[in-house]
Amino acid sequence: MYSKVYSAALLGINMEIVAVETDVSDGLPSFEMVGLLNSEVKEARERVRSAIKNTGYLLPPKRITVNLSPADTKKEGTGFDLAIAVSLMCALGMFPTESVEKILFLGELGLDGAVKKIRGILPMVELAKELGC
């Protein structure tokens, strides 16, 4: 299954929309993330896996690929955690993709699933408002 949700990247004083695409398929279980990611973003794999498990959901042993697009924009920080988790849960059929349209997902996840604050949230919220999210 495939899903796509949206987040935002802070690039200096500018913002850029980031599409978080997730594909879940049969095959050797893995969780790969691509799209010019720094180490904090790559570590989201473990935060997201733990957060989903600790909120009572089960991640099946599947091949999971997450792409943060555009690929030529460097993604930094922990603010993509929530978008990755929501996209993954949609791709697994845990809730319908239509329920997350027109939402910009921003936030770091704690291992217990709690959403934590991130830096640069004000310009991201302004961008969401401009886009009608």
Side-chain angles (χ1 to χ4, degrees):
M1 300 259 328
Y2 168 83
S3 72
K4 178 165 59 170
V5 301
Y6 295 94
S7 189
L10 181 61
L11 306 168
I13 60 169
N14 297 317
M15 303 303 317
E16 185 166 345
I17 291 295
V18 174
V20 179
E21 302 173 294
T22 302
D23 179 70
V24 177
S25 57
D26 292 332
L28 223 70
S30 66
F31 193 144
E32 300 297 324
M33 294 181 42
V34 298
L36 195 56
L37 315 173
N38 78 350
S39 62
E40 292 168 328
V41 181
K42 289 178 184 178
E43 291 168 354
R45 167 180 38 231
E46 298 307 320
R47 288 189 300 273
V48 167
R49 185 186 304 272
S50 294
I52 290 173
K53 177 184 69 84
N54 290 325
T55 53
Y57 292 94
L58 179 65
L59 280 181
K62 298 279 189 178
R63 179 172 178 74
I64 300 166
T65 305
V66 177
N67 178 43
L68 278 68
S69 175
D72 62 348
T73 299
K74 181 128 176 102
K75 283 62 148 210
E76 298 179 340
T78 56
F80 300 105
D81 292 4
L82 182 60
I84 293 166
V86 170
S87 183
L88 175 56
M89 293 175 81
C90 284
L92 289 168
M94 293 180 181
F95 46 86
T97 306
E98 301 80 38
S99 66
V100 297
E101 291 177 358
K102 296 296 242 176
I103 299 174
L104 196 64
F105 291 96
L106 308 163
E108 176 183 343
L109 288 179
L111 298 183
D112 62 352
V115 180
K116 298 181 176 188
K117 65 181 180 177
I118 58 170
R119 66 179 182 83
I121 194 70
L122 185 58
M124 293 177 191
V125 171
E126 288 177 352
L127 177 63
K129 183 179 177 186
E130 288 173 18
L131 297 172
C133 294

